[in-house]
């Protein structure tokens, strides 16, 4: 297929068929044109700043058993941990003092009262220590509407809950078919988050066994139809201690998954020009400069991992997950230089709200 610029400029023309075509591009030059276009659209709509979110992996205890995930309940080959209050507050202070602008707290899915209360008190203490100036995103899975409200009132502004796939059949190939893994509950949770007032994010995995280009096109349309404010999506990376590993012969090569992820990010940028799109960690597992490349292809959010290094090995979602930088600040200064070569830069000290959320 010959892809001319006019074919990819107008998002009004991005229907399912055109999206499928963009996701199916194979010619490197055509993929490059798509990425460049997405980069332009990003700069026009969200500016040239790349927003930082310091990532804190709060706990790897999980009540769920998602077939792809390294911290699923049945994996006994890791130590389960929960950070203590001091570790969290020290990290939040580090993010504040080093002008990150915002923090993401992520963990396995836990519904126990102790955890809900712990998060609540952390939110209040973080805000107190950082003069209410740090944007806080939670990524703590499905919770009751009451819990979402409680955390929102304690100062969490954003919430990321990946749908993982918007196709119900595929969803149940990736999750047990039971009460704790209900597809409709997950969608309801996303709607509750929006209703509560969060800047709401979702995302999916790309290159899963059994996943088709149609599924991926529908995932993008799902995000558009939900009018989501932010997206974190990345390639599926197999993990030897998970049930899905046995289907690894069905997944595309590393290179294909990487380019498919880039095409997804670029196409999403054309479809939803003013949302925040994260350049996710899993991209780096498939390509050494994966996250930088995605920031040149439509993504505008970067999430350096700030989890205390001794826990890094236990938050092992997939094989080859990158470790923690021992000197994250010099890494970021260097990263900023590389961004500048490309006409963008880190938005130091900025919360980096989703423009989409500010507009509605
Ligand atoms: N490959 C890629 N992403 C994964 N996640 C979990 N397991 C994997 C995997 N094997 C992602 C899921 C989850 C997030 C915390 O990490 O999308 O929502």
């Amino acid at each position: 297929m010959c892809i001319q610029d006019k074919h990819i400029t107008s998002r009004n023309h991005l229907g399912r068929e055109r999206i499928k075509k963009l996701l199916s591009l194979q010619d490197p030059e055509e993929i490059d044109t798509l990425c460049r276009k997405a980069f332009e659209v990003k700069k026009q709509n969200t500016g040239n700043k790349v927003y930082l979110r310091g990532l804190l992996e709060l706990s790897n205890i999980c009540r769920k058993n998602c077939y792809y995930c390294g911290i699923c309940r049945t994996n006994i080959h890791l130590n389960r941990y929960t950070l203590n209050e001091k570790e969290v507050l020290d990290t939040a202070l580090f993010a504040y003092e080093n002008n990150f602008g915002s923090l993401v707290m992520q963990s396995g899915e836990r519904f126990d009262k102790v955890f809900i209360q712990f998060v609540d008190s952390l939110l209040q203490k973080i805000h107190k220590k950082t003069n209410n100036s740090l944007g806080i995103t939670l990524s703590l899975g499905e919770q009751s509407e009451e819990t979402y409200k409680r955390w929102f009132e304690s100062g969490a502004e954003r919430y990321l809950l990946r749908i993982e796939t918007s196709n119900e059949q595929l969803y149940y190939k990736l999750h047990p078919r039971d009460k704790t893994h209900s597809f409709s509950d997950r969608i309801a949770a996303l709607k509750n988050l929006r209703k509560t007032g969060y800047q709401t994010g979702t995302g999916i995995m790309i290159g899963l066994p059994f996943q088709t280009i149609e599924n991926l096109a529908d995932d993008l349309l799902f995000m558009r139809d939900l009018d989501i404010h932010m997206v974190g999506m990345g390639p599926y990376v197999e993990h030897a201690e998970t049930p899905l590993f046995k289907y690894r012969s069905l997944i595309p090569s590393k290179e294909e998954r990487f380019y498919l992820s880039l095409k997804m990010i670029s196409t999403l940028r054309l479809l939803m020009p003013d949302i925040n799109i994260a350049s996710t960690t899993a991209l780096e597992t498939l390509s050494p400069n994966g996250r930088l490349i995605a920031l040149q292809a439509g993504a505008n959010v970067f999430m350096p991992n700030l989890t205390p290094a001794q826990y890094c090995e236990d938050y092992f979602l997939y094989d080859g997950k990158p470790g923690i930088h021992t000197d994250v600040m010099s890494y970021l200064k260097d990263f900023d230089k590389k961004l500048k070569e490309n006409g963008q830069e880190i938005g130091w000290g900025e919360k980096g709200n989703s423009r989409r959320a500010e507009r509605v």
Side-chain angles (χ1 to χ4, degrees), residues 14 19 22-23 34-35 38 68 106 139 159-166 200-208 211-213 215-224 228-237 257-273 275-286 290-295 297-303 317-318:
L14 274 179
I19 292 174
L22 294 178
L23 299 182
L34 170 64
C35 293
Y68 46 83
Q106 190 182 79
S139 183
Y159 204 106
L160 182 74
L161 181 72
R162 288 188 176 185
I163 186 74
E164 315 295 359
T165 170
S166 63
T200 303
T202 193
I204 53 130
M205 284 174 291
I206 300 158
L208 288 158
Q211 190 179 45
T212 63
I213 289 291
N215 294 151
L216 289 169
D218 289 340
D219 288 336
L220 296 181
L221 294 169
F222 170 86
M223 293 167 194
R224 187 201 57 190
I228 219 74
H229 305 129
M230 48 195 212
V231 170
M233 61 181 171
Y236 163 68
V237 186
R257 267 177 289 158
F258 179 71
Y259 282 105
L260 194 51
S261 303
L262 274 192
K263 289 183 275 183
M264 282 289 283
I265 288 173
S266 295
T267 306
L268 178 64
R269 175 58 71 197
L270 302 185
L271 196 63
M272 305 185 77
I275 63 169
N276 278 342
I277 304 178
S279 177
T280 52
T281 317
L283 288 162
E284 202 95 345
T285 307
L286 300 188
R291 286 186 292 181
L292 185 63
I293 297 170
L295 291 165
N300 69 325
V301 168
F302 187 67
M303 297 164 59
L317 299 173
Y318 44 80

Side-chain angles (χ1 to χ4, degrees), residues 10-128:
S10 168
R11 72 194 148 108
N12 296 329
H13 292 108
L14 274 179
R16 190 167 186 261
E17 287 314 307
R18 182 140 291 155
I19 292 174
K20 273 167 53 185
K21 276 192 181 147
L22 294 178
L23 299 182
S24 306
L25 293 178
Q26 293 301 326
D27 178 348
E29 268 182 36
E30 292 184 340
I31 296 175
D32 193 52
T33 308
L34 170 64
C35 293
R36 281 170 194 272
K37 184 70 218 167
F39 186 52
E40 283 311 308
V41 171
K42 157 178 117 158
K43 284 201 287 186
Q44 277 161 19
N45 288 277
T46 68
N48 72 338
K49 297 278 171 65
V50 169
Y51 300 125
L52 290 185
R53 280 92 178 81
L55 174 63
L56 192 52
E57 294 158 336
L58 193 58
S59 171
N60 67 351
I61 298 176
C62 191
R63 297 286 157 239
K64 291 205 167 180
N65 224 354
C66 307
Y67 296 150
Y68 46 83
C69 185
I71 64 167
C72 61
R73 197 182 59 219
T74 47
N75 183 7
I76 51 164
H77 302 280
L78 47 102
N79 297 313
R80 299 287 172 172
Y81 74 85
T82 302
L83 300 186
N84 64 37
E85 183 181 286
K86 183 175 181 316
E87 288 166 325
V88 175
L89 295 183
D90 285 353
T91 309
L93 206 57
F94 177 88
Y96 172 62
E97 286 171 348
N98 287 286
N99 275 323
F100 275 58
S102 71
L103 191 74
V104 179
M105 290 201 279
Q106 190 182 79
S107 86
E109 297 202 23
R110 296 176 53 177
F111 325 108
D112 51 290
K113 278 198 183 132
V114 173
F115 184 70
I116 291 168
Q117 167 57 36
F118 180 50
V119 171
D120 196 43
S121 102
L122 286 175
L123 288 166
Q124 297 179 27
K125 288 182 180 160
I126 292 172
H127 278 310
K128 215 166 164 190

Side-chain angles (χ1 to χ4, degrees), residues 162-180:
R162 288 188 176 185
I163 186 74
E164 315 295 359
T165 170
S166 63
N167 181 283
E168 187 165 358
Q169 276 96 41
L170 180 56
Y171 191 88
Y172 285 116
K173 287 198 160 99
L174 308 175
H175 302 93
R177 205 178 258 280
D178 64 22
K179 267 208 332 239
T180 30

